[in-house]
């Protein structure tokens, strides 16, 4: 499944990424971690009986009960075909110096080809995709080429746990902290109680450049998931990088806290405990560098100045908050999406617990993705576990422009491209991503471009994506309900979402 997406600003990536060389300290760290995992596995194995092990459904196909049985006689093995016989394309060399794999004649050519394939151009649109497949999680850095309508993975790196959110930032940390100019990094929040920051200009990195939070398992066990002033003790559910004060990163967690991190020192400089349940969303104000917007599973939304955290304005909503978002075109307003399928739009100037300016009955199920067009006021996009993405015009009387099923399953993320804002990236439970060129869609051209734009005939482009699974069968453990249930610790069984295209119009309810 694809749980989160983020675009990389065009032109910031290194043209030729460097390849990481493992240090002695990293080798020693790998050995220590491997030994710890082996000891943990041995301890768990001692607590498991032979009968339980043999009856494990995951091991049934291996028939461990007859593992030592002979499969064939010695005579049959001797009469069988030779292991190297009849292999097409196998080459033999009389002398080692004639073998190009030994003498290295092909090395220079291969290295040149690899270097050209790894090259990143200033015109490339780069998309970060947080993916989990067969319990293995990773971040893919993908390149989208609109001229050829192709989306491909440039490189990736493995993650220790299921990713919940990714945030791009250009503030240099770790090994390159003292270098001049901006960097190219991604902050990753997972079910682990810490944040990893990876250098996107480095290939084959074994470890992140910076970790925010503690790796001390004893300290985490002692905390038992209760709030701690210096680090998170439960899953990190959201992050927001402060583009005005670039060394600050805000995070929200299932441990009910919101924390501010100083990226220059990797230290938590402030911890807030104003929510009474898991904090699902956090976002810095687009222009006021000290103001934060948060929302949680206590069905409340807060706005406060991080320098004066006791002066908090509260708004109560009908259900658990899925996401919050300041309106970049009208910074005194903000959006709140909930798991009841509603999107509310509030005006901070009206005071706490004021009624929303309007309410969208956006989806029949949870609004699990939401974004706004960065340059076109009033264009809002929502995505849901009902497998649809909807485009809204909220400039005057809010109304739905169109609805589509991008064929990615339950929608977990939808993001506009900052450099080519008519490109919308979407990802979902089927493990697939899609890029929609909305500039070629007639309904959107007519509503937001006017008659002059709509009168110009263009051919609508199909959505572009990378298919990760040929059979496209959705894993029931990867549905929106299952992921939310795991975050809540309820173990709720997933339900099937609706499928199929939906082009029906839906009016919004105004309060």
């Amino acid at each position: 499944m694809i749980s989160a997406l983020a675009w990389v600003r065009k032109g910031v990536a290194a043209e030729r990424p460097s390849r990481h060389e493992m240090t002695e300290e990293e080798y020693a760290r790998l050995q220590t971690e491997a030994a710890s995992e082996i000891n943990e596995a041995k301890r768990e194995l001692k607590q498991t009986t032979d009968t339980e092990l043999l009856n494990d459904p995951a091991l049934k196909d291996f028939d461990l009960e007859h593992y030592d049985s002979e499969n064939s006689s010695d005579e049959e093995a001797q009469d069988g075909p030779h292991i190297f016989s009849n292999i097409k394309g196998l080459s033999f060399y009389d002398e080692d110096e004639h073998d190009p794999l030994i003498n290295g004649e092909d090395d220079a050519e291969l290295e040149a080809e690899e270097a050209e394939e790894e090259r990143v151009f200033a015109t490339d649109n780069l998309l970060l995709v947080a993916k989990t497949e067969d319990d293995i999680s990773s971040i893919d850095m993908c390149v989208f080429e609109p001229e050829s309508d192709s989306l491909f993975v440039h490189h990736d790196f493995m993650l220790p746990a299921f990713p919940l959110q990714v945030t791009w930032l250009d503030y240099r940390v770790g090994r390159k902290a003292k270098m001049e100019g901006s960097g190219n990094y991604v902050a990753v929040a997972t079910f682990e109680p810490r944040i990893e920051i990876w250098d996107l200009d480095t290939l084959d990195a074994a470890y992140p450049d910076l970790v925010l939070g503690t790796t001390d398992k004893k300290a985490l066990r002692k905390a038992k998931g209760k709030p701690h002033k210096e680090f998170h003790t439960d899953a990190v559910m959201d992050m927001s990088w402060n583009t005005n004060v670039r060394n600050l990163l805000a995070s929200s967690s299932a441990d009910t806290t919101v924390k501010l991190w100083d990226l220059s020192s990797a230290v938590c400089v402030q911890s807030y405990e104003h929510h009474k349940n898991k904090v699902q969303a956090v976002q810095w104000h687009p222009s006021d560098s000290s103001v934060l917007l948060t929302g949680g599973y206590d069905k409340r939304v807060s706005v406060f100045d991080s320098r004066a955290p006791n002066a908090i304005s509260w708004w109560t909503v009908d259900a658990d908050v899925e996401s919050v978002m300041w309106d970049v075109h009208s910074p005194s307003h903000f959006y709140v999406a909930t798991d009841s399928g509603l999107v509310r739009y509030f005006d901070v100037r009206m005071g706490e617990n004021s009624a929303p300016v309007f309410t969208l009955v956006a989806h029949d199920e949870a609004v699990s993705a939401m974004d706004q067009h960065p340059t076109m006021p009033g264009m809002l996009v929502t995505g849901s576990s009902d497998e649809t993405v909807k485009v809204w015009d909220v400039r005057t009387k809010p109304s739905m422009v169109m609805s589509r099923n991008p064929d990615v399953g339950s929608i977990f993320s939808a993001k506009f491209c900052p450099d080519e804002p008519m490109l919308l990236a979407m990802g979902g439970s089927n493990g697939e991503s899609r890029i929609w060129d909305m500039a070629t869609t007639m309904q959107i051209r007519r509503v937001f471009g006017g008659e002059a734009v709509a009168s110009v005939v263009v051919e609508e482009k199909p959505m572009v994506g990378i298919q990760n699974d040929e059979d496209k069968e959705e894993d029931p453990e990867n549905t929106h309900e299952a992921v939310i249930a795991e975050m809540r610790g309820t173990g709720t069984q997933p339900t099937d979402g609706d499928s199929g295209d939906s082009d029906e119009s839906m009016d919004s309810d105004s309060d």
Side-chain angles (χ1 to χ4, degrees):
M1 68 179 298
I2 291 174
S3 51
L5 299 168
W7 290 93
V8 177
R9 292 307 301 254
K10 189 181 290 187
V12 301
E15 181 178 355
R16 299 189 183 277
S18 60
R19 197 168 292 278
H20 180 68
E21 298 292 338
M22 289 281 288
T23 63
E24 291 298 328
E25 291 79 6
E26 288 176 332
Y27 280 118
R29 180 178 172 183
L30 278 175
Q31 292 176 343
T32 302
E33 290 178 353
S36 175
E37 291 179 3
I38 291 173
N39 291 334
E40 183 69 24
K42 287 180 178 179
R43 184 162 55 251
E44 292 179 358
L45 190 60
K46 285 181 179 179
Q47 299 173 356
T48 306
T49 66
D50 291 342
T51 303
E52 291 175 333
L53 190 62
L54 292 173
N55 291 331
D56 187 339
L59 301 177
K60 277 288 187 183
D61 293 340
F62 296 98
D63 193 19
L64 296 180
E65 193 171 1
H66 305 96
Y67 179 77
D68 295 327
S69 302
E70 294 288 342
N71 290 328
S72 60
S73 64
D74 293 339
E75 291 79 13
E76 290 175 335
Q78 292 174 358
D79 293 340
H82 192 274
I83 188 172
F84 292 116
S85 66
N86 200 27
I87 299 180
K88 185 178 181 180
L90 186 65
S91 301
F92 296 91
Y93 297 91
D94 295 331
E95 303 293 339
D96 287 348
E97 59 267 21
H98 297 154
D99 189 342
L101 296 177
I102 296 177
N103 61 33
E105 289 180 0
D106 293 342
D107 288 354
E109 184 178 346
L110 288 173
E111 289 177 3
E113 291 179 359
E114 289 179 359
E116 192 60 29
E117 290 176 355
E118 294 168 356
R119 188 177 178 186
V120 178
F121 295 92
T123 56
D124 284 341
N125 287 303
L126 305 179
L127 179 66
L128 302 175
V129 179
K131 183 177 69 174
T132 300
E133 188 173 359
D134 297 331
D135 295 329
I136 298 175
S137 297
S138 64
I139 297 292
D140 292 348
M141 191 179 91
C142 302
V143 177
F144 175 63
E145 296 179 344
E147 297 81 8
S148 58
D149 287 330
S150 62
L151 180 67
F152 60 90
V153 178
H154 182 274
H155 68 276
D156 62 2
F157 50 87
M158 306 297 291
L159 297 175
F162 183 91
L164 296 173
Q165 189 58 270
V166 292
T167 298
W168 177 81
L169 60 153
D170 66 10
Y171 186 83
R172 289 194 180 276
V173 299
R175 296 174 293 109
K176 300 179 181 179
K178 296 182 179 180
M179 293 177 62
E180 295 183 358
S182 59
N184 184 25
Y185 297 86
V186 59
V188 185
T190 70
F191 273 124
E192 295 291 332
R194 49 191 162 269
I195 299 168
E196 295 185 349
I197 300 181
W198 293 78
D199 182 6
L200 295 171
D201 291 336
T202 301
L203 307 180
D204 300 334
Y207 294 102
D209 276 43
L210 189 69
V211 175
L212 304 177
T214 184
T215 57
D216 188 340
K217 294 183 178 180
K218 290 183 178 179
L220 291 172
R221 283 197 294 267
K222 185 178 180 181
K224 296 180 180 179
K226 296 180 180 179
H228 193 284
K229 291 188 178 297
E230 297 179 1
F231 51 82
H232 284 304
T233 59
D234 207 336
V236 179
M237 305 179 81
D238 198 13
M239 300 172 294
S240 180
W241 175 49
N242 194 324
T243 56
N244 298 301
V245 185
R246 296 172 56 253
N247 66 308
L248 285 183
L249 181 76
S251 62
S252 61
S253 171
D255 64 12
T256 74
T257 70
V258 174
K259 286 181 165 48
L260 301 190
W261 302 90
D262 182 356
L263 297 176
S264 61
S265 61
V267 170
C268 174
V269 294
Q270 190 65 266
S271 182
Y272 309 102
E273 301 180 16
H274 53 289
H275 280 280
K276 303 303 180 185
N277 206 328
K278 300 176 182 181
V279 189
Q280 170 70 11
V282 61
Q283 191 180 68
W284 287 105
H285 193 275
S287 57
D288 195 333
S289 61
S290 62
V291 174
L292 278 168
L293 171 66
T294 66
Y297 285 175
D298 54 5
K299 302 179 182 179
R300 298 196 301 170
V301 177
S302 75
V303 174
F304 65 97
D305 190 316
S306 59
R307 299 167 299 182
N310 293 325
I312 302 176
S313 297
W314 290 101
W315 286 263
T316 302
V317 292
D318 67 308
D320 294 342
V321 174
E322 287 283 342
S323 61
V324 295
M325 180 175 64
W326 289 104
D327 185 346
V328 295
H329 306 292
S330 179
S332 60
H333 295 78
F334 62 87
Y335 299 90
V336 181
T338 65
D339 72 354
S340 64
L342 302 182
V343 175
R344 287 183 169 86
Y345 187 68
F346 291 96
D347 186 344
V348 174
R349 298 168 300 181
M350 300 299 292
E352 66 176 1
N353 277 326
S354 57
V357 178
F358 63 78
T359 298
L360 294 179
V361 184
H363 296 269
D364 294 331
E365 299 181 27
V367 181
S368 47
M370 178 173 64
D371 201 13
Q372 61 189 312
H373 196 283
T375 61
M376 189 175 295
M379 181 187 243
L380 180 72
V381 165
T382 59
S384 171
S385 50
D386 65 11
E387 304 188 358
T388 64
V389 170
K390 296 182 180 181
V391 182
W392 303 86
D393 180 5
V394 297
R395 288 174 294 185
T396 52
K397 182 181 179 181
S399 59
M400 190 182 72
V401 177
M402 64 182 305
S403 174
R404 281 198 171 174
N405 185 333
D407 196 25
V408 297
S410 298
I411 312 295
F412 289 136
S413 186
K415 297 292 181 182
F416 281 106
C417 177
D419 297 297
E420 296 187 39
M422 293 309 290
L423 296 178
L424 180 72
M426 300 159 287
S429 58
N430 281 354
E432 299 179 13
S433 58
R434 292 279 188 272
I435 294 182
W436 178 9
D437 187 351
M438 304 174 80
T440 65
T441 304
M442 181 54 66
Q443 296 98 312
I444 293 174
R445 291 171 62 85
R446 182 180 298 112
V447 172
F448 294 101
E451 291 301 324
V453 173
S455 63
V456 179
V457 179
V458 295
E459 182 180 355
E460 183 169 357
K461 293 183 178 181
M463 294 185 185
V464 179
I466 300 175
Q467 186 168 311
N468 296 313
D469 192 352
E470 292 183 0
D471 58 14
K472 296 170 62 178
E473 212 172 285
E474 182 170 327
D475 185 345
E477 295 182 357
N478 284 344
T479 62
H480 177 268
E481 291 82 1
V483 174
I484 294 300
E486 185 171 352
M487 287 191 288
R488 292 174 174 165
T490 59
T492 304
Q493 292 297 316
T495 58
D496 293 333
D498 296 331
S499 60
D501 292 333
S502 175
D503 292 323
E504 296 181 1
S505 174
M506 179 183 295
D507 293 331
S508 63
D509 291 345
S510 297
D511 290 344

